[in-house]
Amino acid sequence: SRAENGPRVPRPLGVQEGTHPKFLILEYVEESPENKGFYEGFAKALAQLHRMNNNEFGMEHDNFIGSTVQINTPEKDPVDFFREHRIRFQQTLARKSRKLPAGVDKKIDRLCEKLGDLMDTTGEKPALLHGDLWSGNALFDRHRAWLIDPAVYYGDREADLAMTEFF
C-alpha cells in the first residue's frame, strides 16, 4: 500500500517471475534538477512513509539489500531485531567470507552485548522504511521525490535517516 502524501514509487509495468526476476520494467520518471522546496517536501513525504506502522519489527518475508539477502524475521523487540537480523547477520556473512579482522569481530561482539544500553527505543513503533535510503535510490521530477530500489521492512525510523548520512 502507498502512504498518503508519501514518496512516489514507479509502478511496475512488467516482470518475469522466478526465484530472482529476470527483468523488471518500471514506470519512467523524467528527472529534473532539484527545486527550492525539494528537501522540505522530501522530508515531509518520508515522514508520511514512516507513519505507516506495524506491530512487529521486520516483515513477513525476507528481501534483498543490493544482492545480499536481508533477513526480516519479525521481532517484538527493536533491539533484538537490529542485533540479530542486521548486525549479527552481516557479521556472520563477513566471517564466512574471511574478510572480518579478529579485532573488529570482537568489537562487534562487544557492541551487540551493549546494544540495549545504547539504543533508546522508548515509544518507537515499527515504521515502514525504505531500507536502503541513499541518494542513488532517490529520483526527482519537477514536483516531487520518487524512491527506487527499496529493501523495505518495519524498523526504527532512524535507520532510514542513518543510511542517508552513511552515504
Side-chain angles (χ1 to χ4, degrees):
S1 71
R2 181 179 294 218
E4 187 175 331
N5 298 319
R8 300 283 306 197
V9 294
R11 276 188 343 262
L13 302 175
V15 64
Q16 183 177 15
E17 298 289 341
T19 305
H20 298 286
K22 305 260 189 228
F23 68 81
L24 173 65
I25 300 171
L26 298 173
E27 173 182 9
Y28 177 72
V29 177
E30 186 171 339
E31 293 185 82
S32 71
E34 301 165 11
N35 64 39
K36 196 165 77 172
F38 164 74
Y39 289 107
E40 182 178 340
F42 180 70
K44 287 178 179 179
L46 187 62
Q48 286 299 116
L49 177 70
H50 290 166
R51 285 187 180 101
M52 294 184 71
N53 298 118
N54 195 23
N55 294 324
E56 295 180 308
F57 293 83
M59 188 161 266
E60 68 279 353
H61 63 275
D62 297 336
N63 53 24
F64 289 85
I65 185 159
S67 61
T68 304
V69 170
Q70 177 168 266
I71 304 300
N72 291 321
T73 304
E75 301 280 354
K76 289 284 186 193
D77 185 291
V79 176
D80 289 345
F81 177 80
F82 191 67
R83 179 190 304 112
E84 299 307 318
H85 308 303
R86 293 298 176 264
I87 298 173
R88 291 269 192 220
F89 180 73
Q90 291 294 325
Q91 181 185 27
T92 300
L93 290 178
R95 282 177 179 161
K96 287 179 182 176
S97 71
R98 299 179 186 207
K99 294 180 181 176
L100 184 62
V104 173
D105 193 27
K106 288 179 184 176
K107 286 180 183 179
I108 293 171
D109 285 337
R110 286 197 307 268
L111 170 68
C112 286
E113 289 169 13
K114 297 178 181 182
L115 202 56
D117 297 329
L118 298 172
M119 289 178 66
D120 180 5
T121 60
T122 307
E124 280 296 320
K125 295 178 182 173
L128 184 60
L129 305 182
H130 177 279
D132 191 13
L133 189 58
W134 64 288
S135 61
N137 286 340
L139 305 174
F140 317 105
D141 68 13
R142 292 181 298 146
H143 307 288
R144 64 190 158 263
W146 294 73
L147 294 180
I148 61 170
D149 198 18
V152 298
Y153 67 97
Y154 288 92
D156 189 317
R157 298 168 295 157
E158 290 185 12
D160 262 355
L161 301 180
M163 285 294 279
T164 66
E165 291 292 318
F166 186 62
F167 290 103

